[in-house]
């Protein structure tokens, strides 16, 4: 079973969209509640929103399986990056609104969780790790842009309403500060959209694991509020007019990432000849 799609790019940048998938294998679907099968917490339509990325030379890696099968942005060992929060598990048992995903007595046990990690979680991460190392070895630098979306209000995780753009770098640990400053300059220039850096959403397992600026691998997470491009309530329709308004900001953001990556790559090449 194909669990992800990968297309290499022509720049040192990789776009990851780990929560866009909606596929649930039939054996797992048979154990789920109607609330689980509705998948209210999927980052819907992000692959459509970021369809411009290949034209910028950016490689992309997108999940096909639902985050309810296994959450690619969770630590399989259960480590919580921000203690005190109420995160969902690597194989979530409840939705963001705390509705049960599984029918009573049919929740995945440890053996089933390990099976899903091996079948669905590990292949995605092996591809990501391999590609980032290949980019770094080829260009001297690699940048991971981890794209997510979220409802603008989720009381389980944060109070009030989120800004439109939520940039996370693990409190500054996953990416070089000069790159982050450039990205925030782009976002701050917008008169339409609000933005925050390492606010209520600071980045999950992926950027905290792969972002190693000292090794010339940088990782940034963007949580975009779904109200900027889609209906946040069922049936979660894509809103082309809204998407057309937010896409230029996303394109500028990723263009800056590519530009900075090439500048960094050129600097690495120059240093090799000194």
């Amino acid at each position: 079973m194909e669990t992800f799609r990968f297309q290499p790019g022509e720049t040192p940048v990789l776009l990851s969209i780990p929560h866009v998938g909606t596929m649930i294998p039939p054996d797992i679907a048979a154990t789920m509640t109607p609330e689980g099968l509705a998948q209210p917490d999927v980052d819907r339509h992000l692959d459509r929103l970021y369809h411009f990325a290949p034209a910028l030379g950016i490689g992309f890696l997108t999940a096909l399986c639902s985050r309810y099968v296994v959450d690619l942005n969770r630590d399989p060992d259960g480590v919580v990056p921000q203690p005190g929060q109420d995160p969902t598990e690597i194989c979530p048992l409840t939705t963001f609104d705390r509705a049960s995903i599984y029918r009573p007595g049919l929740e995945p046990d440890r053996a089933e969780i390990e099976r899903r990690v091996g079948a669905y979680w590990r292949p995605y991460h092996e591809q990501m790790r391999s590609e980032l190392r290949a980019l770094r070895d080829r260009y001297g630098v690699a940048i991971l842009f981890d794209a997510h979306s979220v409802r603008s209000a989720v009381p389980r995780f944060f109070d009030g309403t989120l800004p439109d753009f939520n940039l996370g770098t693990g409190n500054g640990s996953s990416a070089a500060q000069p790159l982050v400053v450039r990205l925030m300059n782009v976002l701050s220039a917008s008169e339409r959209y609000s933005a925050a850096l390492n606010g209520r959403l600071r980045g999950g397992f992926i950027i905290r694991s792969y972002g190693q600026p000292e090794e010339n691998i940088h990782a940034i997470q963007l949580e975009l509020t779904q109200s900027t491009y889609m209906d946040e309530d069922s049936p979660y329709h894509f809103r082309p007019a809204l998407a057309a308004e937010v896409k230029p900001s996303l394109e500028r953001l990723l263009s800056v990432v590519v530009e900075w990556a090439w500048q960094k790559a050129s600097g690495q090449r120059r240093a090799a000849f000194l």
Side-chain angles (χ1 to χ4, degrees), residues 8 12 18 26 50 54 65 70 76 102 107 117 134 151 157 194 201 203-204 216 233 269:
Y50 283 92
C65 285
V70 70
Y102 294 92
E107 300 86 355
V117 168
R151 279 179 289 163
F157 302 135
S194 55
L201 300 174
N216 292 319
D233 298 317
R269 285 196 292 268

Side-chain angles (χ1 to χ4, degrees), residues 69 75 86 93 101 149 173 179 197 206 238 248 250 252 273:
V69 174
D75 189 332
D86 180 23
L93 299 178
I101 291 174
S149 69
S173 66
L179 170 60
L197 172 63
I206 288 176
F238 185 72
L250 293 173
R252 284 195 294 272
F273 287 99

